[in-house]
Amino acid sequence: MNRHLAFERLHNFRDVGGYSGEGGRPVRWGRLYRSDSLGKLRGEDEDRFRALGIGTVIDLRYDWEIAAKGRVPEAPGLRYHNLSIEHRPYDQAALGPEVETGRFLADRYAEVAHDGVVELRRALEVMADEDSGPVVFHCASGKDRTGLLAALVLSLLGVAEDDIVADFALTGLATERLLADWRADHPGQEPRWPGYGTAPADIMRFFLADLTATHGSIHAYVTEFLGTDEELVAALRGKLLEPAG
């Protein structure tokens, strides 16, 4: 199954539908998408994007990233939310080769999960809102911040951990094109860090295990630490899971 939707300039745009969720109900196709930066949309890519009928964009990047790289083009009826969930910027490409990918990034994800409480809660509320229509959420590469939020929402939908980890690792199919984008922005250079742009499964396994060890479960993290409630979980499931029976 190829979840990646074909675009010329976007490399990591995909539908998160089809996974088995709570009670065996599949996640609905065409309701929730994840992506790399939508600031890259141009021409036919923009036409393809509009044809999906997306009603809401959640942009997880910093203000300075948006200023440098642009945001999704405005369109009538398209809602846009900038919710920068990461509060401690760092330069992955500049890391040394001695930095172990899985443990390092899992620790950064844990920082985001505990720093970005307000933004993460709001992102889940937007996803659960029926008036939002189909939603796409994205960061720069569609891997780290996007992968973290995808893991939270899929977990709330009752998707198995193995499927959540597999969904995260699919970014590996886009790694070479993401690296090509970096090289185009940095002529004559190579990232110092071999882990740049990669998505090994152990990143997500470490992160989910750490969050569960700290909070008891992903559900408890969301409903207690983020300060949401069971109504939000029910609304997410009602909007994003196929009806029972």
Side-chain angles (χ1 to χ4, degrees), residues 140-183:
S141 297
K143 176 171 76 78
D144 299 314
R145 289 164 286 186
T146 298
L148 185 157
L149 182 54
L152 295 183
V153 69
L154 289 174
S155 182
L156 292 178
L157 295 176
V159 174
E161 180 176 317
D162 284 349
D163 287 336
I164 294 172
V165 171
D167 183 77
F168 171 79
L170 283 175
T171 288
L173 298 176
T175 294
E176 285 305 314
R177 296 183 74 193
L178 294 170
L179 280 168
D181 278 356
W182 189 93
R183 292 178 181 119

Side-chain angles (χ1 to χ4, degrees), residues 33-222:
Y33 301 92
R34 52 179 294 172
S35 182
D36 46 332
S37 173
L38 297 180
K40 296 184 284 187
L41 284 173
R42 304 283 189 281
E44 292 185 1
D45 271 0
E46 187 174 348
D47 294 339
R48 294 186 187 100
F49 176 78
R50 302 295 175 214
L52 296 173
I54 290 169
T56 300
V57 172
I58 299 174
D59 188 337
L60 303 175
R61 296 174 299 161
Y62 291 99
D63 289 345
W64 54 265
E65 290 178 282
I66 297 167
K69 297 293 186 179
R71 47 153 283 181
V72 65
E74 295 186 20
L78 183 67
R79 302 182 183 192
Y80 175 78
H81 300 267
N82 178 211
L83 300 170
S84 180
I85 62 174
E86 185 180 274
H87 292 208
R88 309 184 213 184
Y90 61 101
D91 184 356
Q92 289 190 20
L95 296 172
E98 74 281 358
V99 176
E100 194 277 317
T101 305
R103 186 68 267 168
F104 177 83
L105 285 181
D107 289 345
R108 302 293 75 72
Y109 291 13
E111 291 175 353
V112 173
H114 292 98
D115 292 347
V117 171
V118 172
E119 296 86 358
L120 286 166
R121 180 174 62 242
R122 181 59 184 147
L124 292 171
E125 290 169 350
V126 170
M127 289 180 181
D129 186 352
E130 281 291 347
D131 291 338
S132 295
V135 174
V136 58
F137 57 104
H138 76 91
C139 53
S141 297
K143 176 171 76 78
D144 299 314
R145 289 164 286 186
T146 298
L148 185 157
L149 182 54
L152 295 183
V153 69
L154 289 174
S155 182
L156 292 178
L157 295 176
V159 174
E161 180 176 317
D162 284 349
D163 287 336
I164 294 172
V165 171
D167 183 77
F168 171 79
L170 283 175
T171 288
L173 298 176
T175 294
E176 285 305 314
R177 296 183 74 193
L178 294 170
L179 280 168
D181 278 356
W182 189 93
R183 292 178 181 119
D185 286 340
H186 303 82
Q189 300 182 48
E190 286 291 322
R192 289 193 65 236
W193 194 39
Y196 184 81
T198 67
D202 59 352
I203 300 173
M204 185 53 63
R205 289 205 185 278
F206 285 148
F207 169 65
L208 293 174
D210 293 346
L211 207 61
T212 299
T214 301
H215 296 280
S217 67
I218 306 303
H219 188 278
Y221 161 78
V222 171

